[in-house]
Amino acid sequence: MKFMVIVKATAATEAGVMPSEKLFVDMGNFNEELVKAGILLAADGLQPSSKGARIRFNGDQRTVIDGPFAETKELIAGFWMIEVRSKEEAIEWFKRCPNPHEGQESEIEIRQLFGPDDFGCDLPSEVRAQEDRMREQLAMR
């Protein structure tokens, strides 16, 4: 099962405040544990929303909205992509994660990704074949 683990943003992350040296070291050690366990697929921090953009869809119209975005509590500051056997295993791993916002209350959200099998017979066979081809191509990178 694949999961995205999401670090919620704070006013500090939105202001571009960098983590302390200790947090860099602690997080690096935690990430190394994930790599050694063979479960880490990707992990990165995100730049503040002031450097981002959103694209709003309304029918055929597209509107680009430049950051920053007002609701910090709805933004993310970073993520991990992991593959584990269960949600419970993901929870156990991330209970050991260093607090991503030292000295502050923080929150990490764990969300399972959809896989082709999750759609059952609702996924047309040609789309399933296309998904399989793309996954093979990505695996070759």
Side-chain angles (χ1 to χ4, degrees):
M1 302 172 119
K2 291 182 182 177
F3 291 87
M4 176 179 249
V5 181
I6 302 162
V7 178
K8 301 292 185 146
T10 65
T13 61
E14 278 298 287
V17 175
M18 289 291 120
S20 70
E21 183 177 331
K22 180 184 181 333
L23 184 55
F24 274 125
V25 170
D26 291 348
M27 204 58 84
N29 291 337
F30 177 72
N31 288 341
E32 191 169 34
E33 286 184 53
L34 298 175
V35 169
K36 286 179 181 176
I39 65 170
L40 185 64
L41 303 174
D44 272 307
L46 299 175
Q47 295 275 347
S49 69
S50 60
K51 296 185 177 185
R54 290 180 175 167
I55 300 173
R56 180 168 290 142
F57 293 78
N58 185 1
D60 291 338
Q61 291 184 323
R62 307 294 185 265
T63 304
V64 176
I65 304 153
D66 289 321
F69 307 120
E71 291 296 319
T72 301
K73 67 182 181 201
E74 295 180 11
L75 300 175
I76 63 173
F79 70 94
W80 290 267
M81 296 292 293
I82 60 170
E83 189 164 9
V84 292
R85 290 180 297 277
S86 66
K87 179 175 82 173
E88 291 73 24
E89 184 180 359
I91 290 168
E92 286 307 311
W93 271 104
F94 281 87
K95 282 169 58 178
R96 297 173 31 205
C97 180
N99 182 343
H101 305 298
E102 289 178 296
Q104 299 179 37
E105 187 172 309
S106 304
E107 192 170 286
I108 291 178
E109 183 175 331
I110 299 172
R111 302 275 302 272
Q112 187 175 349
L113 277 64
F114 276 108
D117 294 339
D118 294 320
F119 297 104
C121 60
D122 292 335
L123 188 64
S125 59
E126 61 273 9
V127 174
R128 184 177 297 275
Q130 180 185 39
E131 285 283 327
D132 291 342
R133 283 193 310 275
M134 288 188 295
R135 289 178 196 281
E136 286 176 25
Q137 290 173 349
L138 288 171
M140 297 172 82
R141 289 186 174 182

